[in-house]
Amino acid sequence: MLSKTVAELSAALDRKDVSSVELTQAYLDRIEKLNPDLNAYITVCKEQALKQAAEADKQRAAGNSTPFTGIPIAHKDIFCTRDVLTTCGSRMLHNFVSPYDASVVERLQQAGAVTLGKTNMDEFAMGSSNETSYYGPVRNPWDSSRVPGGSSGGSAAAVAADLCAIATGTDTGGSIRQPASFCGITGLKPTYGRVSRFGMIAFASSLDQAGPLSKSAEDAALMMNAIAGLDSRDSTSLDHPAEDFTAHLQQSLKGLRIGLPRDHFTADLNPAVQTILQDAIKVLESLGASVTEVDLPHNHLSVPAYYVVAPAEASANLSRYDGVRFGHRAENPVNLEDLYKRSRSEGFGDEVKRRIMVGTYALSAGYYDAYYKKAQKIRRLIKQDFDEAFKSVDVILGPTSPHTAFKLGEKNADPVTMYLEDIYTIAVNLAGIPGMSLPAGMLQGLPIGMQLVGPAFSEARLLNVAHQFQLNTDWHQRRPEVK
Amino acid sequence: MSWETVIGLEVHVQLATASKLFSGSSTAFGAEPNTQANIYDLALPGTLPVMNEEVLRMAVSFGLAVDAEIGKRSVFDRKNYFYPDLPKGYQISQLDHPTVGKGSLRIVMDDGSEKVIGITRAHIEEDAGKSLHEDFQGMSGIDLNRAGTPLLEIVSEPDLRNAKEAVAYLKKLHSIILYLGISDGNMSQGSMRCDANVSVRRKGETEFGTRTEIKNINSFRFVEKAINHEVQRQIDLIEDGGRVIQETRLYDSDRDETRSMRSKEVANDYRYFPEPDLLPVVIDDAYIDAVRATMPELPDARCSRFVKQYGLSEYDADVLTSSRAMADYFEQVAQLCGDAKLSANWVTVDLLGLLNKQDLDIQQSPVTPTQLGTLISRIKDNTISGKIAKTVFEALTEGESDVDQIIESRGLKQVTDTGAIEKLVDDVIAANPDQVAQYKGGKEAVFGYFVGQAMKISKGKANPAQLNELLRKKLSE
C-alpha cells in the first residue's frame, strides 16, 4: 500500500479500502523504523499528521475531497511551516519555529494533504549530495553507502523508500532533478514564477523554484494542480492562466519532436548511461516521436555563470541571519561585531560560508563587471540557446546527471568536482524554463534519470511525455529494498 | 581672500502612506516599539517584498512637480550592509534606474532674486529601524516600527552657493511635498531629514573643493547654522595651511558645531545588485498622465494665479502660496468677504504676525478662515471700522468665536446715524474755538486734530467717511 502513487491512494481512500488515519499511521510506523538509518526526515509531525488525517477522513466521507485529501506527504525543510521547526538543514535555524506557512504548504493543506514531517536537505539548499546538512547526510535507499543527491535529498529518499506518498522540493540548480535521478523517482522543476516562493527560504532568489518529487508523472501533475498559480505575496509569481496539468497526460506522442543536445552526449558521459538513454529514446520513438540533434553552444558556461549568480544572491539573502532577531545567537557576545562574527561562524557550515564569500567577492567594487555582470550576460546567451532550439523541437532530452549516485564522502574533498555534478541541470534554472527527471533505467542496481526540458509553461507537455513513457516502461515502479 | 561655497543637499522624505513600502504594516509614528513590524519587517526566512503602489504614485507626482524625467522602468537594488536596525542586512533602494530623474526647482530669495536649482534624481528606498541605546544595561534595543517605511531621497545638484539658498531650497521642497500631500514633512519627527554636502573654493576656481557631508540636520534653522559653521571651519582649515578631508560629520545643535563621524576614505562597499525579489517597475504615459490629473495646483502656478486673478503683489502672492494650507486659508477668506487685497493684508500682516508671535502653524491658527472672512465683511459693510476690526480680531485670538456677537456685546458697531455724527461734530467745534480759528486761518493740518477728538469721544465708533465729510462741511460754513 505504501508504495502506491497519490492517484492510486486517492482511489483507495475513495473506495474506503483504507482510511487516511490508517495510511498515515502506517507511514509513521515505517518512518519510525527506517528513518534512523536513512535520516530522510529532520522533523516528524506525528500528532499533527494524525489529526489532519482524521479531519481528511471526515472531509472525504462528506464528499468534500480533492485528490490530496488524506494523502500523507512530506515537505522539504526549506518551506516554512507554522508552529513546526523549520531548519533549512542549518544550525543557524536549529531553533526556528515559523509563525507562518509557506504558500506551497498552505495550498497543499487546503487541498487536504496530511503533513508527515520535514525532510532533510543540504544546508540552505547548497549542495548536490545532502552531505552539507547540519542534521547529517541522508542515505540513498538503494545503497546506504551512497548519497541520495541534493539538495532535496531527504524528500527524494523519503519518496523512494515509501516514507511518504509524495514530497515537495526546491530546485535552484538541479536540486529536485538530480536527487530524483539518484533515487529513481520523478521530479519536476517548474517554470520560474509558476510556484510561489512565499515562505520558501531563499537561496538564490532568481533561480529558486519549488516542485514535486513523486512516484509518477501523473502524481507530479496532481501536485502541480495544487501548488501552481499566481500568489500576490511573491512579486515574481507569474500571472499565467490556471491549467489542469493532468489534462494532456493521455495525449499521443505522435509528431513529438525531441532534441538531443550534442554536447550532452559526449565522452564525458558514462557510456552505460548513454546506452540506457538510447534505449529510452527508442521507446519514445516507438510512440511516434522523432529525434534530432540540437546545439546549446553556451551550456558549458552554465556552471561558472551559476556559481557567480547564485552565491551573489545568496550572500545577500543570508545576511538576515545575524543572531539579532531569531535563529542561532552566540552566547555572551562582548559587542555587536562579536555577536555577528560568532553567530554566523557557529551557525553556518563550510559550504554556506564558502558561497557567501564567493558571492560577496563577485559583487565587490571593481569585480562586479567582471563577474556578476558577465554572468548575467551568459545567462541571456543560455536563454537564447534554448529559445533557438525550441524553434525546431518540442522537448530536449538528455541525462539528468553524468552518473549514478556516488559514495558518501567521495566528492567532498574538492568543491568544484561537486559543482560539476549539476552540469546538465543548471542551464535550465538560468533560463527559467521547466525541466524534469524521470527514471530511465538501472545501472548496477542504481537508478538512472533522464531529463526532459521544455520552453516556459510547457510543464503539461513534459508531464505528458513522461506519463506516456511511464505507461510503456516500469522503471518508475522499481523500489529499493530498504532494510 | 574671497571664497565661494558649494552646497548640494540630499533630502530624505518619509512618504505618507498608510502602510510600509514592501509590507502591510502601519507606518504611524509613536507606537510601542516593534508593534508595527510583521514577518517581512522582521526579515523572517522566506518572506518577500511586495511593492506598495501608492509609493510609486507619490514619487511620480513629485517628479512631475519638479519637471523631472520620469523613469518609465525603474529598478530596485539591494544595498548591502550589516546593522541591527536593518533586519535583512540590505536596504532595498534604487541605484541606476531611479523613478525620478533630472529635474529642477525655482527658489526666491528675500531680496526677490530668483534662482533655479537642479535636482539630480529622486529614488525610492526603505527606511531603517531605530537603535535605542538607553535602558538596556549595556545592550542596545531595536525598534523596527520605522523599518521599511517608504522614503524618497531627493538629491540636488551642487547648485547652492550659501546657507540661505540651501534653506530656501529646502523650504521650497517642503512646500511642494506638502502641496502634493505626499509627506507630513515634519522635520522634528524625522519625516524630512537633510544631509548637506559642503565644500569651499577660491572665487574663480572651476574645480570643486573636497566636500564633507553633514548628516541628519533636523530643522531649517539648523541647516543654516550647520552649513555656516562648516563653511567657516573649512575656510579656517585651508587658510591655516591644512586640507579638508572627505568625511561624514554630525551637526551638534547644542554646541553649534560639526564633528567627524567617520571617514569616507575607508568607504563602505555596499555591493549593490538588482533586487531579484522584485520585477522592474514599468509605467507608461497613460499612468503618468493619470497621476498628473490628480495633482493639485503647485506653489509657482498658484502664485502667478494670485497675482493675475486677485491683483496681489508678487511678494504677497509668494508669501501666501509658500504653503498650501496658507494659500487655502487665504482663498477661503477672500471668497467669503469678496475683497482679495484686504484679505491678503489681514492674512500676511495680522494673522502671520499672530502666528509668528505664538509660534503656531497656520493649521493651528486660533482664528478660522470663516471668522476672519466675516470680520473683513463687517469692515466692508461699514458695520465696523478697520481700526475697530483689530479689537475684534484680538477678541477672536483670545477665544471668542462669533464676530457679530463680539461687535454687538462690546458695542463696537460703527455710528452711521447722520444726526448723531452731526451732534458729535458740533460738540467738537464748539469745544475747540482756538483750533477752529487756526483752521479757518488756513492751517489745514488741524483737521486731523478734530477727527481725533471726535473719534476719542465716540470711542472710535464714528464712521470715518461720514465724520470727515461733516467736519469739512461744518468747518467751512
Side-chain angles (χ1 to χ4, degrees):
Chain A
M1 179 63 81
L2 300 189
S3 63
K4 288 192 185 308
T5 65
V6 172
E8 289 162 348
L9 290 175
S10 202
L13 287 168
D14 261 348
R15 288 192 306 268
K16 299 200 170 59
D17 291 352
V18 67
S19 73
S20 175
V21 170
E22 289 164 342
L23 198 56
T24 301
Q25 189 59 56
Y27 277 116
L28 288 170
D29 291 346
R30 188 168 166 86
I31 291 168
E32 198 171 313
K33 199 172 109 206
L34 298 180
N35 198 54
D37 288 331
L38 285 175
N39 199 24
Y41 282 88
I42 291 173
T43 304
V44 179
C45 312
K46 198 170 168 179
E47 279 174 31
Q48 184 195 302
L50 287 168
K51 225 183 266 172
Q52 288 172 341
E55 176 61 27
D57 281 333
K58 271 191 224 156
Q59 293 299 326
R60 270 213 193 250
N64 303 323
S65 65
T66 81
F68 275 96
T69 306
I71 302 293
I73 68 167
H75 287 298
K76 185 177 182 178
D77 210 16
I78 200 167
F79 293 102
C80 285
T81 40
R82 187 202 294 257
D83 300 337
V84 174
L85 189 67
T86 299
T87 71
C88 219
S90 181
R91 185 184 183 197
M92 186 57 90
L93 292 177
H94 69 89
N95 57 359
F96 179 66
V97 176
S98 171
Y100 76 105
D101 280 323
S103 175
V104 163
V105 171
E106 198 178 78
R107 289 187 183 198
L108 281 163
Q109 232 156 47
Q110 275 161 10
V114 172
T115 304
L116 291 168
K118 308 290 293 289
T119 59
N120 204 343
M121 55 182 284
D122 279 300
E123 184 179 5
F124 283 102
M126 297 176 187
S128 306
S129 68
N130 223 302
E131 291 167 296
T132 70
S133 171
Y134 173 63
Y135 296 90
V138 177
R139 290 173 186 274
N140 192 315
W142 292 89
D143 176 349
S144 64
S145 71
R146 292 179 186 272
V147 304
S151 64
S152 312
S155 285
V159 172
D162 297 328
L163 301 186
C164 62
I166 190 168
T168 56
T170 62
D171 189 318
T172 306
S175 282
I176 287 175
R177 291 159 289 159
Q178 186 250 23
S181 169
F182 281 12
C183 292
I185 61 167
T186 303
L188 170 67
K189 182 210 88 85
T191 307
Y192 182 80
R194 260 233 135 134
V195 179
S196 169
R197 293 186 295 117
F198 176 76
M200 192 176 113
I201 299 178
F203 160 17
S205 313
S206 74
L207 301 161
D208 295 343
Q209 184 61 194
L213 290 111
S214 59
K215 298 180 189 190
S216 71
E218 184 183 16
D219 280 7
L222 289 172
M223 185 178 268
M224 283 301 288
N225 279 352
I227 65 174
L230 181 67
D231 179 4
S232 61
R233 297 169 299 185
D234 173 2
S235 307
T236 63
S237 165
L238 295 168
D239 191 5
H240 198 74
E243 74 178 284
D244 178 359
F245 292 90
T246 63
H248 303 288
L249 292 177
Q250 307 303 334
Q251 194 181 307
S252 153
L253 299 190
K254 271 206 183 75
L256 175 75
R257 300 168 301 167
I258 297 174
L260 306 178
R262 241 181 280 271
D263 76 321
H264 285 18
F265 293 87
T266 61
D268 291 341
L269 183 62
N270 180 325
V273 174
Q274 206 154 151
T275 310
I276 284 167
L277 287 179
Q278 292 303 340
D279 290 346
I281 291 163
K282 274 177 205 147
V283 174
L284 292 169
E285 282 179 316
S286 75
L287 297 172
S290 63
V291 175
T292 52
E293 286 197 320
V294 292
D295 279 314
L296 299 173
H298 299 94
N299 188 68
H300 66 288
L301 296 173
S302 61
V303 172
Y306 175 88
Y307 278 96
V308 170
V309 174
E313 291 180 6
S315 71
N317 282 334
L318 271 59
S319 292
R320 66 188 60 198
Y321 307 105
D322 56 7
V324 174
R325 298 167 313 286
F326 54 80
H328 180 72
R329 179 184 176 100
E331 279 181 28
N332 306 316
V334 297
N335 57 31
L336 181 61
E337 189 167 320
D338 185 48
L339 171 69
Y340 282 160
K341 278 190 177 162
R342 284 199 290 124
S343 298
R344 288 170 69 81
S345 299
E346 295 161 6
F348 291 138
D350 287 348
E351 184 58 29
V352 172
K353 286 178 192 160
R354 184 178 295 124
R355 296 201 197 187
I356 290 173
M357 284 189 279
V358 168
T360 303
Y361 182 81
L363 290 173
S364 298
Y367 298 100
Y368 182 86
D369 287 357
Y371 294 107
Y372 188 81
K373 224 169 169 180
K374 188 174 253 178
Q376 293 294 2
K377 273 184 201 157
I378 293 172
R379 199 171 172 176
R380 279 192 291 277
L381 293 173
I382 286 169
K383 172 88 172 53
Q384 284 166 18
D385 284 355
F386 280 112
D387 290 346
E388 195 55 38
F390 288 127
K391 284 178 185 165
S392 55
V393 299
D394 302 311
V395 299
I396 290 172
L397 185 154
T400 305
S401 165
H403 42 243
T404 53
F406 48 88
K407 296 258 187 191
L408 283 158
E410 189 183 326
K411 292 181 193 272
N412 278 349
D414 175 21
V416 176
T417 315
M418 191 70 93
Y419 296 168
L420 288 170
E421 277 305 297
D422 299 326
I423 179 84
Y424 302 126
T425 48
I426 272 178
V428 172
N429 299 78
L430 290 170
I433 55 179
M436 68 184 294
S437 179
L438 62 157
M442 300 289 290
L443 180 61
Q444 292 159 343
L446 295 170
I448 293 282
M450 159 171 90
Q451 181 174 234
L452 296 175
V453 177
F457 302 111
S458 67
E459 288 87 349
R461 184 62 161 156
L462 297 181
L463 289 163
N464 161 234
V465 176
H467 182 66
Q468 290 301 311
F469 181 79
Q470 290 181 344
L471 286 178
N472 291 278
T473 55
D474 67 351
W475 303 114
H476 64 292
Q477 288 166 338
R478 307 281 177 104
R479 283 289 173 281
E481 268 184 51
V482 194
K483 286 171 221 98
Chain B
M1 186 70 64
S2 169
W3 294 89
E4 182 179 49
T5 306
V6 176
I7 305 160
L9 296 186
E10 289 170 21
V11 180
H12 287 87
V13 174
Q14 261 184 13
L15 297 176
T17 51
S19 59
K20 293 183 177 178
L21 176 50
F22 297 119
S23 89
S25 303
S26 165
T27 54
F29 180 82
E32 283 293 302
N34 296 311
T35 53
Q36 290 172 180
N38 67 12
I39 54 173
Y40 175 79
D41 306 316
L42 288 164
L44 289 194
T47 54
L48 295 168
V50 177
M51 183 163 176
N52 180 344
E53 285 182 30
E54 182 65 2
V55 174
L56 180 69
R57 187 194 66 76
M58 288 182 171
V60 170
S61 74
F62 174 77
L64 293 172
V66 296
D67 287 324
E69 298 162 17
I70 304 298
K72 295 270 183 73
R73 183 176 179 279
S74 34
V75 178
F76 286 102
D77 297 278
R78 290 186 183 176
K79 178 181 179 180
N80 294 284
Y81 65 94
F82 282 97
Y83 206 71
D85 61 22
L86 185 74
K88 296 190 292 290
Y90 55 84
Q91 178 193 31
I92 303 181
S93 181
Q94 296 176 327
L95 181 65
D96 292 328
H97 305 282
T99 298
V100 178
K102 269 194 180 310
S104 66
L105 191 138
R106 187 185 64 99
I107 57 173
V108 182
M109 305 306 295
D110 283 344
D111 64 4
S113 64
E114 289 188 10
K115 188 167 174 179
V116 172
I117 307 301
I119 287 176
T120 315
R121 57 183 286 158
H123 60 263
I124 299 169
E125 62 184 25
E126 297 171 295
D127 207 345
K130 278 182 184 158
S131 296
L132 311 165
H133 299 296
E134 293 113 37
D135 309 334
F136 295 95
Q137 287 131 22
M139 311 247 276
S140 291
I142 304 295
D143 177 6
L144 296 177
N145 283 355
R146 198 182 66 180
T149 298
L151 294 178
L152 191 65
E153 180 176 342
I154 304 159
V155 182
S156 86
E157 291 287 307
D159 289 346
L160 302 159
R161 288 294 170 269
N162 57 55
K164 286 218 181 314
E165 285 185 5
V167 173
Y169 167 83
L170 201 59
K171 284 191 168 164
K172 190 62 177 281
L173 267 190
H174 189 256
S175 158
I176 289 175
I177 283 155
L178 261 51
Y179 263 83
L180 293 171
I182 60 175
S183 174
D184 65 20
N186 189 325
M187 289 187 82
S188 61
Q189 286 181 1
S191 313
M192 184 162 162
R193 310 195 281 272
C194 176
D195 304 337
N197 287 300
V198 177
S199 66
V200 297
R201 62 182 172 190
R202 289 188 165 82
K203 276 227 164 94
E205 267 180 34
T206 50
E207 297 283 305
F208 289 135
T210 305
R211 68 166 193 270
T212 57
E213 183 181 13
I214 315 170
K215 279 269 178 208
N216 278 331
I217 320 170
N218 64 2
S219 83
F220 293 116
R221 201 158 56 88
F222 291 162
V223 169
E224 187 166 350
K225 293 179 89 169
I227 290 174
N228 282 335
H229 172 274
E230 178 59 16
V231 166
Q232 200 51 51
R233 189 191 70 86
Q234 291 187 12
I235 291 172
D236 291 349
L237 195 63
I238 299 170
E239 288 186 340
D240 287 350
R243 70 183 181 96
V244 176
I245 51 168
Q246 191 178 337
E247 61 180 353
T248 302
R249 299 180 70 84
L250 200 68
Y251 178 66
D252 182 341
S253 55
D254 293 335
R255 304 167 72 170
D256 188 25
E257 61 176 30
T258 66
R259 58 168 178 270
S260 183
M261 230 172 112
R262 58 171 185 255
S263 166
K264 275 229 167 164
E265 288 176 325
V266 284
N268 258 325
D269 180 357
Y270 291 119
R271 303 188 309 280
Y272 279 98
F273 74 101
E275 167 55 89
D277 286 333
L278 291 166
L279 302 175
V281 179
V282 179
I283 54 174
D284 56 15
D285 289 328
Y287 177 87
I288 296 171
D289 289 344
V291 172
R292 200 193 309 271
T294 64
M295 283 169 57
E297 187 182 25
L298 292 168
D300 285 358
R302 205 166 188 183
C303 179
S304 3
R305 178 167 66 80
F306 279 15
V307 171
K308 227 185 282 96
Q309 181 181 341
Y310 299 126
L312 302 184
S313 70
E314 286 271 359
Y315 181 82
D316 278 353
D318 203 61
V319 171
L320 287 172
T321 54
S322 65
S323 92
R324 183 179 178 176
M326 174 121 55
D328 287 348
Y329 189 107
F330 159 75
E331 290 212 271
Q332 278 185 58
V333 173
Q335 202 161 28
L336 203 78
C337 71
D339 189 329
K341 280 193 180 169
L342 200 50
S343 300
N345 272 335
W346 274 89
V347 173
T348 57
V349 180
D350 301 279
L351 185 71
L352 270 183
L354 170 78
L355 296 178
N356 283 339
K357 209 167 78 190
Q358 302 195 0
D359 196 22
L360 296 173
D361 286 338
I362 186 113
Q363 288 99 323
Q364 304 163 304
S365 169
V367 180
T368 67
T370 313
Q371 289 171 334
L372 186 54
T374 311
L375 179 60
I376 298 170
S377 301
R378 293 297 165 268
I379 302 171
K380 298 278 293 175
D381 65 13
N382 284 329
T383 307
I384 53 172
S385 67
K387 192 149 179 252
I388 288 291
K390 311 271 180 196
T391 311
V392 179
F393 184 77
E394 202 144 299
L396 289 172
T397 67
E398 280 157 8
E400 291 189 57
S401 60
D402 190 310
V403 170
D404 290 323
Q405 210 177 328
I406 296 168
I407 295 169
E408 196 62 44
S409 68
R410 299 194 179 185
L412 299 175
K413 215 173 205 161
Q414 201 159 229
V415 178
T416 50
D417 172 46
T418 316
I421 295 176
E422 201 167 344
K423 179 164 186 306
L424 187 63
V425 170
D426 289 344
D427 288 354
V428 170
I429 290 173
N432 297 286
D434 293 350
Q435 284 80 359
V436 173
Q438 283 174 20
Y439 182 81
K440 291 197 167 166
K443 204 169 176 194
E444 281 276 329
V446 182
F447 188 76
Y449 174 79
F450 295 116
V451 174
Q453 287 300 308
M455 278 297 184
K456 201 170 159 190
I457 295 165
S458 76
K459 298 202 179 76
K461 294 186 292 188
N463 178 292
Q466 279 173 295
L467 178 66
N468 281 345
E469 196 192 322
L470 275 170
L471 257 179
R472 282 198 196 283
K473 200 175 134 203
K474 296 247 169 184
L475 284 169
S476 56
E477 271 170 6

